[in-house]
Amino acid sequence: MRRAVKVFQHERRLRTAGGLSVRDITDEVNEAVAESGIKDGIACVYSPHTTCCVRVNEFEQGFMDDFAALLKRLVPQESYYAHDDWDRRTENICEEDMEFGNGHSHCMSMLLGSAGESIPVRDGELLLGTWQRVLFIELDRERDRRWLVQVVGS
Amino acid sequence: MRRAVKVFQHERRLRTAGGLSVRDITDEVNEAVAESGIKDGIACVYSPHTTCCVRVNEFEQGFMDDFAALLKRLVPQESYYAHDDWDRRTENICEEDMEFGNGHSHCMSMLLGSAGESIPVRDGELLLGTWQRVLFIELDRERDRRWLVQVVGS
Amino acid sequence: MRRAVKVFQHERRLRTAGGLSVRDITDEVNEAVAESGIKDGIACVYSPHTTCCVRVNEFEQGFMDDFAALLKRLVPQESYYAHDDWDRRTENICEEDMEFGNGHSHCMSMLLGSAGESIPVRDGELLLGTWQRVLFIELDRERDRRWLVQVVGS
């Protein structure tokens, strides 16, 4: 199909629970896609934070617990992190971080991959598989957060 | 360049071999991009499954074996997974999963990152580097699967 | 908004330092986005190499050191890699690789996730959070590299 392009953006705020908590944002993302009026295109769901990410996977509590255990095993919070070493650090000084070290959270988010997910849109809906949900993952403490969705298509 | 937008979607089915098997789908994705008539844009190659993913990397059997060994070491199948604990689990009950636990497969796919890959398209082809191939990775048992490509551009 | 689509591509070359070195390419990517004239859309920042990747995260030297230490612990260079076993390997023979094994670099890049990052563009700029920077990560030795940005929008 050849048509004029549409670009739509939507942003939402949330308060996370901290501690590797996961929020299922699928319905909100689909509402935004519906509001965009875009029938076919790509939706980029994006976390603008460096210690959160958006992932597509199943939302089942047992799996969330399994994955949290895995992440904690691979990236233990109690290790030494130069990012949290205030005798050494000179860049990006943030008062809040001095109280709550989050070197492990940064390492987790880098290991998890990209900040967002690009998902095909068809017939005005995210083209998710049967068990796929859009998940907002907090890798740091309880915080005020945002996520964005950018839809490009026609 | 300023033109009417084109959005093109293509879907393929495959039967995987299971056991961290990898299928090189580059030629099929490039055929779909050619069929789209889109010269410049972005191709989002996407797995709609929660225990598969699409990655771009070299396709060389030694590396595939190395990566399978790494994944099995980081995420051992024989560990306890709450996702596979049917005395505890209450959500998303799926008969097939009760026979073949796949908690480790979900953890692997989350660790591997996003469900798909976004690849630039130029002159009607995926803009892949010399050794880059588009890989469909099965993290679960032998199953019927699908992958999608959504191309947006002009 | 409904307008004609614009697609813009830009490519840059760099010489990396090797050894898990990281280059902050945010300003260069933003310059390319500005040059594109695209106000709203998606920017796909992409590495065409199989042992590099583009990630969005904080650029702070302590964190870079922490992440390098984590990657080396999870994917040790001194392990056996079939990819580097020239008595066994028959595919994709590359003279340079015979001198410098890079099986670990491939495993690292696969573990890190997708080859690139898709970032929303608003008002002609990457929509990055406060601490987010676009990082080009070298997982192999010192090499000549390229990165691309493809912007689609209006």
Side-chain angles (χ1 to χ4, degrees):
Chain A
M1 66 214 74
R2 290 180 70 110
R3 307 200 206 129
V5 70
K6 284 190 195 175
V7 181
F8 178 85
Q9 189 175 72
H10 182 79
E11 183 177 323
R12 290 264 176 119
R13 292 178 181 277
L14 71 162
R15 177 81 183 173
T16 63
L20 301 180
S21 61
V22 176
R23 178 83 66 101
D24 182 341
I25 60 170
T26 315
D27 293 342
E28 294 166 280
V29 178
N30 257 326
E31 279 166 36
V33 171
E35 195 191 331
S36 76
I38 292 170
K39 293 299 173 199
D40 296 282
I42 294 173
C44 174
V45 192
Y46 187 83
S47 151
H49 307 287
T50 49
T51 53
C52 293
C53 65
V54 170
R55 274 291 79 83
V56 169
N57 215 304
E58 185 172 345
F59 186 59
E60 187 276 315
Q61 197 51 52
F63 165 43
M64 297 299 103
D65 295 349
D66 293 334
F67 190 68
L70 171 69
L71 264 188
K72 284 172 186 168
R73 181 165 57 78
L74 298 181
V75 191
Q77 181 167 3
E78 53 279 7
S79 299
Y80 169 84
Y81 291 97
H83 185 66
D84 300 330
D85 182 346
W86 299 98
D87 293 332
R88 175 184 153 169
R89 184 158 155 193
T90 56
E91 307 166 282
N92 299 1
I93 307 297
C94 162
E95 294 261 327
E96 231 183 327
D97 277 3
M98 295 182 81
E99 274 181 74
F100 308 93
N102 66 357
H104 66 291
S105 312
H106 281 281
C107 284
M108 285 172 175
S109 80
M110 198 81 128
L111 196 62
L112 270 170
S114 51
E117 291 258 2
S118 290
I119 305 168
V121 170
R122 182 165 57 185
D123 297 332
E125 285 189 4
L126 295 173
L127 225 161
L128 297 170
T130 313
W131 303 107
Q132 283 185 324
R133 306 294 292 174
V134 188
L135 309 175
F136 185 90
I137 307 177
E138 175 63 81
L139 301 162
D140 208 332
R141 64 188 186 279
E142 185 186 337
R143 296 181 79 157
D144 291 316
R145 300 297 201 176
R146 299 178 290 138
W147 56 265
L148 309 158
V149 56
Q150 187 89 346
V151 196
V152 175
S154 69
Chain B
M1 67 215 71
R2 289 180 69 109
R3 307 199 205 131
V5 69
K6 284 190 196 177
V7 181
F8 178 86
Q9 188 176 71
H10 182 79
E11 183 177 323
R12 289 263 176 120
R13 292 177 181 277
L14 71 162
R15 176 80 183 174
T16 63
L20 300 181
S21 60
V22 176
R23 178 84 64 101
D24 182 342
I25 60 170
T26 315
D27 294 340
E28 294 166 279
V29 177
N30 257 326
E31 280 166 36
V33 171
E35 195 191 330
S36 76
I38 292 169
K39 293 299 172 198
D40 296 282
I42 294 172
C44 174
V45 192
Y46 187 82
S47 151
H49 307 287
T50 48
T51 52
C52 292
C53 66
V54 171
R55 274 292 80 81
V56 169
N57 215 305
E58 184 172 345
F59 186 59
E60 188 275 316
Q61 196 52 53
F63 165 42
M64 297 299 104
D65 295 349
D66 293 334
F67 190 68
L70 171 68
L71 264 188
K72 283 173 186 168
R73 181 165 59 77
L74 297 182
V75 191
Q77 181 168 2
E78 51 279 8
S79 298
Y80 170 84
Y81 291 97
H83 185 66
D84 300 330
D85 183 345
W86 298 99
D87 292 333
R88 176 183 152 170
R89 185 158 154 192
T90 56
E91 307 166 283
N92 298 1
I93 305 298
C94 162
E95 294 262 326
E96 231 183 328
D97 276 4
M98 295 182 80
E99 275 181 73
F100 308 93
N102 66 357
H104 65 291
S105 312
H106 281 280
C107 284
M108 286 173 174
S109 80
M110 199 82 130
L111 196 62
L112 269 168
S114 52
E117 290 258 2
S118 291
I119 306 167
V121 170
R122 182 164 58 185
D123 297 332
E125 285 189 4
L126 296 173
L127 224 162
L128 297 171
T130 314
W131 303 107
Q132 283 186 324
R133 307 292 292 174
V134 188
L135 309 175
F136 185 90
I137 305 176
E138 174 63 81
L139 301 161
D140 208 332
R141 64 187 186 279
E142 185 187 336
R143 295 181 79 157
D144 291 315
R145 300 297 201 177
R146 299 179 291 138
W147 56 265
L148 310 158
V149 56
Q150 187 89 344
V151 196
V152 175
S154 68
Chain C
M1 67 215 73
R2 290 181 69 110
R3 306 199 207 131
V5 70
K6 284 190 195 176
V7 181
F8 178 86
Q9 188 175 71
H10 182 79
E11 183 177 323
R12 289 264 176 119
R13 292 177 181 277
L14 71 162
R15 177 81 183 173
T16 63
L20 300 181
S21 61
V22 176
R23 178 84 65 99
D24 182 342
I25 60 170
T26 314
D27 294 341
E28 294 166 278
V29 177
N30 256 327
E31 279 166 37
V33 171
E35 195 191 331
S36 77
I38 292 169
K39 293 300 172 199
D40 296 282
I42 294 172
C44 174
V45 192
Y46 187 82
S47 151
H49 306 287
T50 49
T51 53
C52 292
C53 66
V54 170
R55 274 294 78 83
V56 169
N57 216 305
E58 184 171 347
F59 186 59
E60 187 274 315
Q61 196 51 52
F63 166 43
M64 298 298 105
D65 294 349
D66 293 334
F67 190 68
L70 171 68
L71 264 189
K72 284 173 186 168
R73 181 165 57 77
L74 298 182
V75 191
Q77 180 167 4
E78 51 280 6
S79 298
Y80 170 84
Y81 291 96
H83 185 67
D84 300 330
D85 182 347
W86 298 99
D87 293 332
R88 176 182 151 170
R89 184 158 155 194
T90 56
E91 307 166 282
N92 299 0
I93 306 299
C94 162
E95 294 262 327
E96 232 182 328
D97 276 4
M98 295 182 81
E99 274 181 76
F100 308 93
N102 67 357
H104 66 291
S105 311
H106 282 280
C107 284
M108 285 172 174
S109 80
M110 199 81 129
L111 196 62
L112 270 168
S114 52
E117 290 258 3
S118 291
I119 305 168
V121 170
R122 182 164 59 186
D123 297 332
E125 285 189 3
L126 296 173
L127 224 162
L128 297 170
T130 313
W131 303 107
Q132 283 186 323
R133 306 293 292 176
V134 188
L135 309 175
F136 185 90
I137 306 176
E138 176 62 81
L139 302 162
D140 207 333
R141 63 188 186 279
E142 185 186 336
R143 297 181 78 157
D144 291 315
R145 300 296 201 176
R146 301 178 289 139
W147 56 265
L148 310 158
V149 56
Q150 187 89 344
V151 197
V152 175
S154 68

